[in-house]
Amino acid sequence: MEALRPKFDLNPAHLLPITSKPSNPTSILRYSHQFPCSIHWIIRKCRAPVPVNSLKTNPDAQINSQVSTRESRNSFDNENLIQSIARGVLSLAAAAAVAATSGICCDSPAFAESLTVAFPVSRAREVNTVQRTLVEAWGLIRETFIDPTFNHQDWDLKLQQTMVEMFPLRTADAAYKKISGMLSTLGDPFTRIISPKEYQSFRIGSDGNLQGVGLFINIEPRTGHLVVMSCVEGSPADRAGIHEGDELVEIDGENVDGIGSEAAAQKLRGRVGTSVNVKLHSGNGWGSTSGYREVNLSRETIKLSPVSSAIIPHRTPDGRLSKTGYVKLSTFSQTAAADMENTINDMENQGVQSYILDLRNNPGGLVKAGLDVARIWLDGNETLVNTIDRDGHMAPINMLNGHAITHDPLVVLVNEGSASASEILAGALHDNGRAIIVGHRTFGKGKIQSVTELHDGSALFVTVAKYLSPALHDIDKVGIAPDVQCTTEVLNAPRDKSVDSPLEADSCILVAEHELDVQEKPTKDAAS
């Protein structure tokens, strides 16, 4: 649009009016936005005099309200990013039903530039509220988004265009869609806005319980489709035979194309006793429907315990009966590290001699939980992960004088559903020589999102950095390749039927046990 081509004037004393004239404007909003290096950024909505040659306004409709200064929790430099991750304030959740996250807060010295823009105020009050949310979201993107080119577009111009498109709207839902449309032009499916209701739904998992069907879902970045990451064991979705990788097509007859993972999760949740109908597609194919099927799921109370465990009796090749501790971590919630520490201590007291850490179908969660779990297994000052900020600066996150609970041999199980914080943990244990990885290539989400609650209760997810493993392997859209894949070669070896465990019907666990035998043999030879 030709009229929107001029750039913003960064001098706050000047006002750049939008020259495209919408019909019957009521007034002009002037937003003064301060872009800092510290924690403070300002949005002010104030009375704005209108230039004589600009839009006609009704003097009685001028805006007199003053919106109080809001403290942003999303401004940081590279050093503060590392500190923030260590405090657990960043989310790498790859699924919609993971634990709640918090924003970023730092306290570096302030340095700010101011930007003043003007645009017409909507007559619809609810749209006017979203106009403020638009500027708030736009400013956070401008400050922190990982790509400083904003997907090779003029981000200031994008605000003007979106504001003009939003002006004639009459509902908040329509206005929010305009913000979502603006964010979609960034080319990053993980940078998104969710409504206040969706944000409250997103936070439900923090207390370990929710009412729903037990599905973890996420947008597959290569296709843009909603896919099942995993099912909570014993949940309605699990009992219905839904599997990781299944594509979610419809919810109660409504096509989910273009719907975010949080919005879809909101539709799946509901009161206990109610039901929801879902249509799925599987690449494996279901009968004569060419891979499509519909399932009616009853909603129940879903308990999200992040850790489950068992001790597997195991006969070694030399005939000894040993104990292998099996620990499955389903999500990186606030209690994950503490729960795992208690589990490992209990297994150590029971004489466990080796471990299998199962991260299959774990979609991620809190970064701090992932780093804390790594510390359970590692010693010293090892590097856990490397972060890269929007300027390309890389910095490691290291342990500080760590002390592992156990040094027993360890195998980590992963698959296509292992994402985000799961990949950080697997990479940390593997690259530091602590564990062998068994399974299949992981999901490949190597980006870090901050989550900020906006003034109206909505939330903005912004990709603020990417990460590399300690050995500098890029995980994003690539994943982590296992050292050993789950093949049938090991499964044909004779096994002692007297010590079979139900878990040993799992081929990957059998392969993991074989790898543990391989690890233990050199240790025994060295001791002898």
Side-chain angles (χ1 to χ4, degrees):
M1 187 183 302
E2 186 68 27
L4 298 178
R5 185 163 294 174
K7 298 290 194 303
F8 285 123
D9 185 352
L10 294 181
N11 184 342
H14 292 82
L15 182 67
L16 178 65
I18 294 178
T19 56
S20 281
K21 299 181 180 181
S23 59
N24 300 321
T26 60
S27 62
I28 296 292
L29 271 182
R30 175 188 290 174
Y31 277 86
S32 177
H33 192 90
Q34 195 171 32
F35 299 100
C37 297
S38 73
I39 60 174
H40 300 291
W41 67 274
I42 301 169
I43 291 182
R44 291 192 297 271
K45 184 171 69 175
C46 54
R47 185 166 184 155
V50 182
V52 174
N53 61 351
S54 184
L55 305 175
K56 294 181 179 180
T57 61
N58 177 356
D60 296 332
Q62 295 295 317
I63 296 176
N64 298 311
S65 61
Q66 190 77 25
V67 178
S68 61
T69 299
R70 174 178 172 81
E71 181 177 313
S72 169
R73 295 169 293 177
N74 258 36
S75 302
F76 53 90
D77 54 21
N78 194 56
E79 180 180 355
N80 283 320
L81 170 63
I82 298 170
Q83 294 172 352
S84 296
I85 294 176
R87 291 196 299 267
V89 297
L90 287 180
S91 171
L92 283 136
V98 298
T101 59
S102 56
I104 298 176
C105 182
C106 359
D107 50 7
S108 56
F111 174 80
E113 58 179 86
S114 292
L115 175 65
T116 302
V117 296
F119 39 80
V121 178
S122 171
R123 289 181 180 272
R125 179 176 297 180
E126 57 184 286
V127 174
N128 179 234
T129 299
V130 183
Q131 282 183 309
R132 178 187 172 191
T133 303
L134 167 63
V135 177
E136 199 174 5
W138 167 83
L140 287 169
I141 296 292
R142 195 176 193 269
E143 294 174 50
T144 63
F145 185 58
I146 182 65
D147 177 9
T149 73
F150 307 104
N151 199 22
H152 305 286
Q153 63 179 324
D154 187 331
W155 192 239
D156 296 348
L157 177 61
K158 200 67 187 176
L159 172 64
Q160 296 185 59
Q161 291 174 330
T162 306
M163 192 61 71
V164 169
E165 293 172 0
M166 189 179 289
F167 174 78
L169 303 178
R170 291 291 175 263
T171 67
D173 286 344
Y176 273 116
K177 287 180 181 178
K178 289 298 181 183
I179 299 179
S180 295
M182 179 183 75
L183 298 180
S184 70
T185 66
L186 295 169
D188 175 30
F190 302 111
T191 295
R192 62 206 187 276
I193 190 170
I194 60 176
S195 70
K197 187 175 182 180
E198 290 169 350
Y199 184 48
Q200 290 304 311
S201 177
F202 178 83
R203 295 174 62 90
I204 287 175
S206 62
D207 65 358
N209 295 282
L210 59 85
Q211 295 181 355
V213 297
L215 276 178
F216 287 90
I217 56 177
N218 187 42
I219 293 178
E220 211 290 322
R222 288 173 285 271
T223 65
H225 297 160
L226 280 170
V227 296
V228 175
M229 298 291 290
S230 63
C231 299
V232 176
E233 185 176 355
S235 67
D238 182 44
R239 297 196 301 268
I242 298 175
H243 301 289
E244 65 271 13
D246 290 349
E247 180 185 332
L248 191 59
V249 180
E250 293 180 358
I251 300 176
D252 281 336
E254 179 183 351
N255 192 287
V256 296
D257 278 348
I259 295 179
S261 54
E262 286 81 24
Q266 172 79 16
K267 294 178 182 294
L268 292 170
R269 295 182 184 128
R271 289 184 297 105
V272 171
T274 61
S275 63
V276 60
N277 197 68
V278 297
K279 185 176 182 179
L280 303 126
H281 177 263
S282 171
N284 297 327
W286 281 310
S288 60
T289 59
S290 301
Y292 289 91
R293 69 163 176 165
E294 293 190 25
V295 181
N296 187 267
L297 302 172
S298 296
R299 295 184 175 101
E300 299 176 359
T301 297
I302 308 297
K303 296 187 180 297
L304 299 176
S305 177
V307 176
S308 57
S309 63
I311 294 179
I312 305 173
H314 174 59
R315 184 77 66 181
T316 63
D318 61 2
R320 292 182 298 109
L321 186 62
S322 67
K323 296 180 179 180
T324 297
Y326 170 82
V327 183
K328 182 173 180 60
L329 183 61
S330 61
T331 187
F332 290 88
S333 66
Q334 294 177 353
T335 65
D339 290 349
M340 176 165 289
E341 183 173 351
N342 292 335
T343 297
I344 301 303
N345 280 324
D346 183 58
M347 287 185 168
E348 286 290 294
N349 292 334
Q350 296 185 57
V352 165
Q353 297 159 299
S354 59
Y355 288 90
I356 298 172
L357 175 58
D358 193 347
L359 300 179
R360 289 176 296 176
N361 303 317
N362 182 327
L366 297 176
V367 178
K368 184 180 186 301
L371 300 179
D372 286 346
V373 170
R375 293 184 179 101
I376 292 174
W377 303 96
L378 292 170
D379 286 319
N381 301 312
E382 304 288 5
T383 296
L384 300 178
V385 70
N386 296 285
T387 64
I388 301 178
D389 66 14
R390 64 188 288 171
D391 297 319
H393 300 144
M394 185 176 72
I397 298 177
N398 297 325
M399 293 178 55
L400 294 176
N401 194 28
H403 297 283
I405 293 177
T406 177
H407 298 92
D408 291 333
L410 173 65
V411 167
V412 176
L413 299 181
V414 297
N415 67 358
E416 300 86 348
S418 306
S420 200
S422 289
E423 292 169 300
I424 286 182
L425 176 58
L429 297 177
H430 176 269
D431 289 359
N432 286 299
R434 181 63 181 89
I436 290 177
I437 297 180
V438 169
H440 302 281
R441 186 177 293 272
T442 61
F443 184 82
K445 182 177 181 289
K447 293 178 178 177
I448 297 172
Q449 282 74 48
S450 65
V451 185
T452 303
E453 183 174 351
L454 305 180
H455 79 282
D456 61 351
S458 62
L460 182 70
F461 294 68
V462 183
T463 296
V464 296
K466 65 182 297 184
Y467 65 83
L468 305 179
S469 74
L472 304 183
H473 296 138
D474 191 351
I475 297 170
D476 196 45
K477 298 182 180 179
V478 178
I480 295 176
D483 297 305
V484 181
Q485 289 194 340
C486 297
T487 64
T488 58
E489 296 177 6
V490 178
L491 309 186
N492 295 327
R495 290 184 288 126
D496 185 352
K497 301 295 184 181
S498 65
V499 296
D500 267 359
S501 158
L503 288 171
E504 291 193 319
D506 186 324
S507 62
C508 285
I509 290 179
L510 288 175
V511 174
E513 289 181 330
H514 172 76
E515 292 302 318
L516 289 171
D517 289 340
V518 173
Q519 288 186 60
E520 288 178 355
K521 188 175 187 300
T523 303
K524 181 182 176 183
D525 291 344
S528 60

